[in-house]
Amino acid sequence: MLEPAYLQRIAEGAEEIAADLHSYILRKIMERVMIRIGRGDEYLFTSADRWQIEIMQDSGALMEEIIPEIAKRTKLQQKEIKEAMEEAGIKAVEADDKIYEAAGLSPLPLMESPELIRLMQRNYEATLGEWRNYTRTTADAAQRLFINSCDTAYHKVTSGAVSYTQAVREAVDEVVSGGVYVNYTDEETGRVHKDTIETATARAVRTGIGQATGDIVLKRMEEMGWDTILVSAHLGARTGDGGQNPGNHLWWQGQFYSRSGRDKRFPPFSVTGYGSGEGLCGWNCRHSFGSGDGENNPYAGIETEESQRIEKLEQRQRMLERRIRKTKRIVSGMQTAVEACNDPQAKAALQMELDRKSYLLQRQNAAYNQFCDDNDLRPLADRLRIARWGREQAAKARGAARRYQNATEDK
């Protein structure tokens, strides 16, 4: 069995690799957009045919820059996911093996069991396959975002709908605010999800590892002839619709179950919905399970009311963290746009918008820290990080925020 806190952290390495790729792609899109539309309004007044040819040439060059980076990140991701899955599998069976050994049984180590290794390999390949799907979708989305942003600016200016400076600002805002998202369809429900590549990757890795260790643990229980299962528990477990069903993790967590359903002392393991997307070890689930003795339950003391309170607080905390990460991406992208813009008037307008967004980021950080302080929550600095955001970018953002604050106070 794996602890919920372990499953929460296990995807961080894969998420960071994906976040770094996302930041790289956004930066390259922004650079290409400014090369195409940041030279001044006279440059935009060219023939439509010539514009389309140049746009397609630029989009091809963008892909030539992106594809090698995707290949490089994929090699890193292969290593990261493989090591994370192996570590999780070993930890899960080691915990269970202590119970088997106490009962006089002799389980093989995980890496000496061909069948368990095959289960792990199957889940590893499925998880890596999702990553490859995300990167393909991300590359296509990046190309579309570049072309659409440039074309929209071109048509706005040449038709006289807006000024050149306004069109540049709107194009930059479209790139940095929207970002690059992946769309994927859940095979079980048919629902379409839209996420950044880092969010989708973290969910896929956490889910893949949960399913891999779950399959391994169940197979080991079959080998040992063991029937009693203990499911982990944690504060803040999702409640779904509140009913007694797999989507309500609070309902089934922290209890003993009968794997076969024949031991009437415990509910059948099937009620947890293991193997489904909404149930145990499903989408982004932090629960795990392992062999139990039917008596010693370290999770029995978790309070339902406290868990529901923590769930609401953590949902709010996660929302504030997502908001800060998004604003950081916007500020980072606008820093790139300001540096790459060659038209003085457009550059000044972009700098004003950058100052405003930097001030917004400052306020969001203050609100996040205050929320954590008011509710006795630990601020999670690692969940506020984005790739390519170091001391230099943070210092620039603080300076821009001060400029905006001073300018608004003087009015």
Side-chain angles (χ1 to χ4, degrees), residues 266-277:
F266 310 116
F269 182 59
S270 58
V271 302
T272 65
Y274 178 75
S276 68

Side-chain angles (χ1 to χ4, degrees), residues 277-290:
E278 62 181 0
L280 174 61
C281 296
W283 308 305
N284 219 26
C285 181
R286 286 187 284 150
H287 289 97
S288 182
F289 64 92

Side-chain angles (χ1 to χ4, degrees), residues 100-161:
Y100 299 140
E101 289 164 0
L105 301 174
S106 302
L108 279 174
L110 171 63
M111 303 312 288
E112 295 180 19
S113 172
E115 190 162 5
L116 298 188
I117 289 175
R118 279 196 297 272
L119 288 174
M120 185 187 301
Q121 182 68 21
R122 183 187 67 191
N123 282 279
Y124 162 72
E125 290 174 355
T127 303
L128 190 61
E130 288 196 53
W131 159 260
R132 290 196 173 102
N133 288 336
Y134 297 157
T135 56
R136 280 195 294 270
T137 304
T138 298
D140 292 341
Q143 195 173 39
R144 286 196 304 272
L145 179 59
F146 166 72
I147 293 172
N148 291 341
S149 299
C150 291
D151 277 351
T152 300
Y154 171 79
H155 290 299
K156 284 179 178 178
V157 174
T158 55
S159 66

Side-chain angles (χ1 to χ4, degrees), residues 190-203:
R191 291 181 298 181
V192 176
H193 297 272
K194 177 182 177 182
D195 280 315
T196 61
I197 188 173
E198 57 265 37
T199 299
T201 297
R203 178 184 289 113

